[in-house]
């Protein structure tokens, strides 16, 4: 049975992935595409609904992102959010302009049409997140105003007969109290989606598709021991069994003792019946990274060297047909392939494969899933909770947690500091309350005093964020006493460190990872 699809057309909004994530919370499958996608491609996909994101432009400027009127005449329900709402009005004959007063932040919205399908079971006064300089001054023919604020006469409008809905605020962010309910009303009540996309059906469907694709071919899985690659490995094992070989490359950029921990779980003495090969390539990666400090170059060196190692292992194994990777949906979008997002993560192979890869095809069974969905899939596959909820770890490892050149000494420093940080977070009972936490090594050295001696050592930065979907994040409020203990232990126990900092940056504007 073909799954129902809602598509998000990205006009450059910072919340594009969040829109898709909220739709999936309604158990409706959703994908992101650039506004540049051809109308014929949309017709071919036959989505149940279309959502237009926000964006930084003014829809009436000639060079701004736009779409043809035909999009609104397909007979498919369309929901425009912020810029998407303004664009809908502009294209269909309404008027959009810059008002004297913009709106930003939490704003009380008054519902004028409580009977609207979008506002079913939504209070007539509700708090929503506004972020706009332009506003709708005149609605298009056939529309009616369904909500307003003190400063915004058209906070929402709709043409119910045509299935067209415009919302000036952002229902996808958590600051909009009833936002998820409004999106749920759109996909379930307006679009008529069944809301039956769940992890059990995803696992079952994926296993079937993998078996059909692989046939009697041999599969090589890139196993890092992280959540994504572990779930991918177990999913492939369930699908093709002995045709799968898992290669674990220890590039020397893992967390402290992690190489041995991964082997203990997935190796010959582990709980899974996998063909497991460990490649100790630490010095090889250190040599390649020597003298390199530019972040993008480091990422690409690590990613390409990974592929080279796998090619060599494949030749040893003989006739490998498929390479499996644990790429997930945020990787796809942030690599520039899922909308209008800038390229953020070039180390992901979805956007940065070397010119020559010696495999017939790459299989990425998790590329449609967000991080929390990957965890659900892992539980559905029977993977123990302690593995499923393991801290996320980037493909380039500590290469993106060390600013500047990567050396064996720096790796040792950040490994020891990170181990102390994670240990103290666990002792404080905070592990499940923080989305992600780790220590990173800055390239800053400063003067310190230890005992009676002057030191000139590195500063370690501690990172901890709260996040649901890893698309947006805020710095976690780690108790000061815990931070004090971590700081004291790192400075006393880790040679080469005389200063500890705490990173308060949110995402955006920063990323969760440090470099």
């Amino acid at each position: 049975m073909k799954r129902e699809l809602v598509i998000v057309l990205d006009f450059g909004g910072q919340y594009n992935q969040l829109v898709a994530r909220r739709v999936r919370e309604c158990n409706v499958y959703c994908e992101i595409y650039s506004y540049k996608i051809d109308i014929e491609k949309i017709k071919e996909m036959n989505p149940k609904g279309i959502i237009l994101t926000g964006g930084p432009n003014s829809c009436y400027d000639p060079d701004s992102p736009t779409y043809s009127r035909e999009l609104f005449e397909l007979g498919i329900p369309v929901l425009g959010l912020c810029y998407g709402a303004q664009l809908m009005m502009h294209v269909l004959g309404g008027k959009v302009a810059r008002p004297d007063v913009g709106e930003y932040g939490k704003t009380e919205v008054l519902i004028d049409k409580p009977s609207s399908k979008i506002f079913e079971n939504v209070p007539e006064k509700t708090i929503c997140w506004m972020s706009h300089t332009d506003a709708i001054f005149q609605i298009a023919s056939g529309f009616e105003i369904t909500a307003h604020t003190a400063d915004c006469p058209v906070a929402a409008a709709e043409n119910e007969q045509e299935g067209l809905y415009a919302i000036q605020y952002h229902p996808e962010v958590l600051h909009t109290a009833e936002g998820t309910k409004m999106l749920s009303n759109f996909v379930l009540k307006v679009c008529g989606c069944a809301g039956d996309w769940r992890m059990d059906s995803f696992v079952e469907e994926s296993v079937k598709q993998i078996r059909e694709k692989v046939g009697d071919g041999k599969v090589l899985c890139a196993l890092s021991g992280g959540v994504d690659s572990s779930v991918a490995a177990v999913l492939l094992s369930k699908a093709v069994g002995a045709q799968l070989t898992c290669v674990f490359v220890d590039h020397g950029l893992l967390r402290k003792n992690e190489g041995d921990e991964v082997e203990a779980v997935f190796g010959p003495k582990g709980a899974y019946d996998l063909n497991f090969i460990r490649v100790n390539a630490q010095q090889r990666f250190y040599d390649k990274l020597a003298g390199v400090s530019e972040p993008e170059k480091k990422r690409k060196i690590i990613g390409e060297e990974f592929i080279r190692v796998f090619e060599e292992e494949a030749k040893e194994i003989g006739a490998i047909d498929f390479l499996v990777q644990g790429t997930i949906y945020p990787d796809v979008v942030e690599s520039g392939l899922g909308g209008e997002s800038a390229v953020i993560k070039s180390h992901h192979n979805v956007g940065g494969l070397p010119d020559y890869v010696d495999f017939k095809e790459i299989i990425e069974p998790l590329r449609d899933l967000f991080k929390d969905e990957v965890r659900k899939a892992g539980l559905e596959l029977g993977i123990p909770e302690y593995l499923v909820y393991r801290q996320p770890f980037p493909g380039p490892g500590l290469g993106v947690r060390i600013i500047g050149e990567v050396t064996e000494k720096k790796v040792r420093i950040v490994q020891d500091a990170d181990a102390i940080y994670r240990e103290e977070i666990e002792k404080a009972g905070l592990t499940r309350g923080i989305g992600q936490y780790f220590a990173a090594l800055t390239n800053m050295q400063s003067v310190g005093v230890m005992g009676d001696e002057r030191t000139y050592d590195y500063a370690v930065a501690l990172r901890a964020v709260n996040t649901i979907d890893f698309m947006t994040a805020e710095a976690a409020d780690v108790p000061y006493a815990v931070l004090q203990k971590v700081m004291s232990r790192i400075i006393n126990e880790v040679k080469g460190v005389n200063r500890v900092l705490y990173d308060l940056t949110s995402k955006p504007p920063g990323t969760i990872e440090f470099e």
Side-chain angles (χ1 to χ4, degrees):
M1 182 179 71
K2 187 177 180 181
R3 64 187 174 195
E4 297 173 326
L5 171 67
V6 168
I7 65 171
V8 172
L9 293 191
D10 179 16
F11 289 88
Q14 61 178 316
Y15 301 130
N16 60 353
Q17 295 178 53
L18 203 50
V19 176
R21 184 65 200 89
R22 293 289 174 260
V23 171
R24 292 194 189 186
E25 286 178 1
C26 306
N27 295 320
V28 174
Y29 185 68
C30 184
E31 290 181 347
I32 302 168
Y33 293 92
S34 168
Y35 72 91
K36 298 170 186 172
I37 187 173
D38 187 81
I39 191 77
E40 294 304 319
K41 176 68 175 174
I42 293 177
K43 290 178 184 178
E44 186 181 309
M45 290 189 289
N46 191 28
K48 297 280 287 185
I50 300 169
I51 301 177
L52 315 181
T53 73
N57 304 95
S58 293
C59 64
Y60 46 79
D61 287 343
D63 295 330
S64 290
T66 189
Y67 214 98
S68 66
R69 187 185 183 98
E70 189 179 358
L71 179 72
F72 306 102
E73 298 172 343
L74 294 174
I76 299 170
V78 180
L79 172 64
L81 307 179
C82 199
Y83 179 87
Q86 297 165 6
L87 180 66
M88 180 185 293
M89 291 300 146
H90 178 70
V91 170
L92 295 179
K95 181 181 179 184
V96 177
R98 182 159 298 190
D100 294 333
V101 179
E103 281 184 311
Y104 303 94
K106 292 181 180 179
T107 307
E108 184 178 63
V109 172
L110 306 174
I111 307 300
D112 298 314
K113 185 183 177 185
S115 62
S116 167
K117 290 181 180 179
I118 287 284
F119 297 131
E120 188 172 314
N121 295 320
V122 173
E124 292 187 28
K125 292 183 179 180
T126 184
I127 298 298
C128 299
W129 186 260
M130 287 284 192
S131 181
H132 65 101
T133 52
D134 289 337
I136 298 166
F137 275 68
Q138 180 182 326
I139 56 176
S141 176
F143 282 79
E144 60 178 316
I145 297 172
T146 56
H148 71 280
T149 73
D151 295 310
C152 183
V154 187
E158 66 182 48
N159 181 333
E160 184 178 4
Q161 184 175 349
E162 300 298 327
L164 304 178
Y165 295 81
I167 294 178
Q168 181 57 70
Y169 49 87
H170 290 276
E172 68 273 21
V173 302
L174 294 177
H175 302 298
T176 298
E178 304 291 336
T180 299
K181 187 176 291 183
M182 295 174 197
L183 289 172
S184 174
N185 284 339
F186 176 70
V187 297
L188 300 180
K189 309 288 185 184
V190 176
C191 300
C193 294
D196 57 2
W197 187 71
R198 293 180 173 83
M199 277 305 108
D200 54 352
S201 58
F202 170 82
V203 169
E204 185 179 338
E205 182 183 336
S206 296
V207 167
K208 181 181 177 183
Q209 289 176 349
I210 291 167
R211 283 175 181 160
E212 289 176 356
K213 178 187 283 285
V214 171
D216 58 359
K218 285 188 177 181
V219 184
L220 182 64
C221 179
L223 178 62
S224 71
V227 176
D228 303 333
S229 69
S230 296
V231 173
V234 176
L235 183 60
L236 264 292
S237 178
K238 185 178 177 71
V240 300
Q243 294 166 246
L244 171 69
T245 297
C246 291
V247 174
F248 166 54
V249 176
D250 187 344
H251 50 25
L253 302 171
L254 300 171
R255 289 168 286 208
K256 190 172 184 178
N257 301 324
E258 192 159 33
D260 294 338
E261 291 171 2
V262 170
E263 185 169 358
V265 173
F266 292 100
K269 297 180 181 178
Y272 300 100
D273 185 21
L274 301 174
N275 296 316
F276 179 86
I277 297 172
R278 177 175 178 174
V279 183
N280 292 310
Q282 296 93 330
Q283 196 58 51
R284 175 172 174 170
F285 278 83
Y286 294 152
D287 291 345
K288 285 280 185 180
L289 291 167
V292 179
S293 58
E294 203 275 315
E296 282 300 291
K297 193 170 181 183
K298 286 196 294 183
R299 288 185 177 97
K300 288 180 178 178
I301 287 171
I302 295 167
E304 182 159 345
E305 201 61 21
F306 248 108
I307 295 294
R308 300 284 81 84
V309 172
F310 283 123
E311 285 179 341
E312 291 166 14
E313 289 304 314
K315 287 183 175 71
E316 289 291 321
I317 297 165
I320 290 295
D321 301 294
F322 300 92
L323 171 66
V324 177
Q325 294 181 150
T327 306
I328 65 174
Y329 200 49
D331 302 337
V332 174
V333 176
E334 293 185 359
S335 296
L337 300 181
E340 288 301 296
S341 295
V343 175
I344 298 170
K345 297 181 178 178
S346 61
H347 62 264
H348 291 298
N349 287 322
V350 290
L353 277 172
D355 294 334
Y356 172 74
V357 181
D358 195 14
F359 307 101
K360 283 183 183 176
E361 192 173 345
I362 288 179
I363 297 176
E364 295 170 318
L366 308 178
R367 70 177 282 130
D368 291 340
L369 301 186
F370 287 95
K371 177 69 75 173
D372 57 324
E373 294 171 327
V374 173
R375 296 191 197 281
K376 289 177 184 176
L379 294 174
E380 190 66 34
L381 285 161
I383 300 175
E385 277 197 23
Y386 78 89
L387 286 179
V388 169
Y389 286 100
R390 191 173 190 169
Q391 278 286 296
F393 195 62
L398 299 180
V400 294
R401 293 181 183 175
I402 295 173
I403 304 299
E405 183 185 10
V406 175
T407 66
E408 195 168 352
K409 177 186 174 182
K410 285 184 176 181
V411 170
R412 190 267 308 161
I413 290 173
V414 77
Q415 282 178 335
D416 290 345
D418 181 71
I420 289 170
Y421 187 31
R422 287 186 289 122
E423 183 181 324
E424 292 301 328
I425 289 288
E426 186 174 349
K427 282 182 182 177
L430 301 172
T431 52
R432 294 293 286 271
I434 302 174
Q436 188 170 349
Y437 52 92
F438 56 87
L441 185 64
T442 73
N443 206 29
M444 181 184 82
Q445 290 179 280
S446 62
V447 174
V449 178
M450 300 179 75
D452 295 323
E453 295 184 3
R454 179 181 183 275
T455 62
Y456 189 67
D457 287 328
Y458 286 105
V460 162
L462 304 178
R463 184 84 163 124
V465 297
N466 289 325
T467 180
I468 295 173
D469 45 40
F470 292 83
M471 297 298 94
T472 60
E474 293 181 343
D477 187 11
V478 179
Y480 186 70
V482 176
L483 293 176
Q484 278 283 91
K485 188 167 185 182
V486 173
M487 176 275 297
S488 178
R489 283 194 60 193
I490 288 175
I491 289 176
N492 280 286
E493 298 175 32
V494 182
K495 187 177 179 181
V497 178
N498 68 358
R499 199 174 292 267
V500 177
L501 315 172
Y502 187 68
D503 183 1
L504 288 170
T505 314
S506 61
K507 177 186 179 179
T511 59
I512 291 177
E513 286 299 334
F514 201 73
E515 192 176 76

